[in-house]
């Protein structure tokens, strides 16, 4: 019998804050020291991230924060625009949004490794469909709600 290790669950916003700092070059060690960081960067992106929020989360839930940084995390609840934002912030790729009612999806070209990373963080209720053209090629994937 194999034991399933559940990942720490982060809010979509905390995940974006964490990935934004990674995008600025912060190492795991720097992230783990966020509560004692003398200065946090000022974000001038359209997101206007306030990294003090992530520092507060790290101070309030140090073990959950450590696990999220070192072992990965799953987002508690995704929105379609939140998935688009996460891919943009974490992977630097601008996905296409499909917002027609009943057909909502995020479409994006990803490597197999990037697809796996997205799949690991998606909240319950989302699926990724599509296949790469070949073993070394990017695939075009749709990330959409699971239809019941």
């Amino acid at each position: 019998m194999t034991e399933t290790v559940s990942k720490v669950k982060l809010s979509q916003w905390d995940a974006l804050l964490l990935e934004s700092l990674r995008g600025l070059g912060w190492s795991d060690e720097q992230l783990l020291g966020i509560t004692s960081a003398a200065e946090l960067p000022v974000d001038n992106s359209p997101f206007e991230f306030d990294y003090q929020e992530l520092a507060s989360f790290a101070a309030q839930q140090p073990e959950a924060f450590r696990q999220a940084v070192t072992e990965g995390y799953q987002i508690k609840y995704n929105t379609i625009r939140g998935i688009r934002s996460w891919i943009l912030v974490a992977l630097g790729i601008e996905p296409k949004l499909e917002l027609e009612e009943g057909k909502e999806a995020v479409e994006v070209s990803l490597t197999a490794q990037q697809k796996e990373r997205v799949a690991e963080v998606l909240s319950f209720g989302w699926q990724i469909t599509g296949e790469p053209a070949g073993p070394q090629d990017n695939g075009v994937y749709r990330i959409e709600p699971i239809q019941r």
Side-chain angles (χ1 to χ4, degrees):
M1 189 165 115
T2 59
E3 190 176 321
T4 310
V5 178
S6 66
K7 291 190 173 183
V8 168
K9 297 210 181 337
L10 292 185
S11 71
Q12 193 167 260
W13 190 249
D14 286 339
L16 285 167
L17 289 166
L18 178 63
E19 296 303 334
S20 175
L21 286 174
R22 281 192 170 134
L24 293 174
W26 281 49
S27 66
D28 285 359
E29 189 175 309
Q30 287 172 301
L31 288 166
L32 293 173
I34 193 170
T35 56
S36 60
E39 285 188 36
L40 294 172
V42 174
D43 180 49
N44 295 317
S45 79
F47 294 104
E48 299 179 356
F49 291 128
D50 178 357
Y51 299 110
Q52 189 56 51
E53 294 175 35
L54 192 64
S56 296
F57 170 71
Q60 292 166 5
Q61 298 183 45
E63 183 55 26
F65 183 73
R66 184 197 63 74
Q67 283 183 343
V69 169
T70 61
E71 299 169 24
Y73 58 87
Q74 183 178 18
I75 295 172
K76 291 177 193 175
Y77 178 80
N78 281 116
T79 63
I80 196 95
R81 285 181 172 83
I83 292 168
R84 177 210 156 266
S85 296
W86 189 92
I87 292 170
L88 180 63
V89 170
L91 304 176
I93 299 168
E94 177 71 67
K96 186 176 128 193
L97 280 178
E98 170 64 56
L99 297 174
E100 186 181 333
E101 191 173 330
K103 297 181 181 178
E104 297 91 348
V106 176
E107 288 188 8
V108 63
S109 175
L110 301 170
T111 65
Q113 187 177 7
Q114 290 168 330
K115 176 196 175 235
E116 189 58 37
R117 183 146 183 242
V118 172
E120 288 175 2
V121 302
L122 279 179
S123 66
F124 179 77
W126 292 90
Q127 64 185 356
I128 301 176
T129 57
E131 294 296 326
Q136 302 302 315
D137 299 324
N138 281 14
V140 176
Y141 298 98
R142 280 180 65 85
I143 303 161
E144 56 196 352
I146 296 171
Q147 301 297 325
R148 294 173 201 210

